[in-house]
Amino acid sequence: MRNPSPPALVPVRIWDLPTRLFHWLLVLAVVGLIITGNLGGNWMVWHARLGLTVLALLVFRVAWGLVGGRWSRFASFAYSPRKLIHYLRGRAAANGVGHSPLGALSVWAMLAVLTVQVGTGLVTDDEIAFTGPLARLVETSTALAATAWHKGPGKLALLALIGLHVVAIVVYHLRGKRLVPPMLHGDKLLPPGTPGSRDDARQRLLALVLALGSGALAVWVGSLG
């Protein structure tokens, strides 16, 4: 007898709409930050605005990592170092649904670097034309150290992570695994019965409330300058 053929794959909602919007807004904001930071001058006004935008996005992502769709929650990609090592050594396979252990590591690294960049940007003082809204709350030496990090190692770390992210997308694409489309429409073709992320009107309303709260917090921080 022939072995029964595997069940046909079906679309499963993996990335809910709020997660997808967060991702692409963050991409645009970070690109804008890099451009305006390099241009300097009057563009630093927009650099500051985009920095506050990233602050709002990060606050939202932290909240959404707790109450968002199944595969957007931190619990779904909080792999232990042991699991990461086993994955890198080929001893364990990814679940094929959300973030793989290596993908999760890149997400954590990106969130960490962006958080540090935003934090140092808020207290930056270049002693020329730009002062962060919270610079007056720290010692001058601290503000100068934050400025040096923000414009030097922090910026290089961010650019390196972006480069690695792009390379990973290309490599996976060449291997027949496209990462970008699911982040556009939210679905992956997976075996029937694979649990998906909740993405209904009620969930999106919750995301809107969290986004408005995050935005209000960023505006308030910006007003302290």
Side-chain angles (χ1 to χ4, degrees):
M1 295 180 62
R2 294 183 178 179
N3 293 327
S5 58
L9 301 180
V10 297
V12 178
R13 178 55 48 91
I14 300 302
W15 305 124
D16 51 60
L17 180 62
T19 298
R20 285 177 277 146
L21 289 175
F22 159 81
H23 179 272
W24 294 113
L25 287 174
L26 186 64
V27 169
L28 293 174
V30 170
V31 170
L33 280 170
I34 294 172
I35 294 174
T36 54
N38 287 329
L39 290 175
N42 293 333
W43 286 101
M44 292 304 294
V45 174
W46 281 101
H47 188 78
R49 292 171 179 170
L50 289 170
L52 292 173
T53 300
V54 172
L55 171 61
L57 289 170
L58 291 175
V59 172
F60 169 80
R61 188 63 183 91
V62 170
W64 201 240
L66 301 175
V67 301
R70 179 188 183 99
W71 301 106
S72 298
R73 296 190 181 192
F74 295 140
S76 72
F77 57 95
Y79 296 100
S80 67
R82 182 180 180 181
K83 288 184 178 180
L84 174 61
I85 293 173
H86 284 181
Y87 176 77
L88 293 175
R89 291 179 175 177
R91 297 179 182 177
N95 57 33
V97 183
H99 293 297
S100 68
L102 189 58
L105 180 62
S106 70
V107 171
W108 291 116
M110 183 67 75
L111 291 177
V113 169
L114 284 173
T115 298
V116 173
Q117 281 298 90
V118 169
T120 53
L122 291 174
V123 298
T124 291
D125 184 357
D126 64 4
E127 297 187 305
I128 300 176
F130 183 81
T131 302
L134 303 184
R136 61 184 178 82
L137 302 179
V138 301
E139 297 291 336
T140 300
S141 59
T142 301
L144 294 177
T147 304
W149 173 269
H150 189 84
K151 298 171 66 175
K155 179 181 177 180
L156 292 177
L158 179 59
L159 292 174
L161 284 175
I162 293 173
L164 289 173
H165 191 69
V166 172
V167 169
I169 291 174
V170 173
V171 170
Y172 274 107
H173 181 79
L174 294 176
R175 293 179 178 178
K177 186 176 181 180
R178 299 192 298 169
L179 301 180
V180 175
M183 193 53 73
L184 291 172
H185 51 65
D187 297 338
K188 284 186 177 181
L189 292 176
L190 298 166
T194 302
S197 290
R198 182 179 173 185
D199 193 21
D200 54 20
R202 183 176 179 181
Q203 191 76 346
R204 293 178 181 182
L205 179 60
L206 172 61
L208 178 60
V209 172
L210 292 175
L212 291 175
S214 301
L217 176 62
V219 170
W220 174 72
V221 170
S223 71
L224 297 177

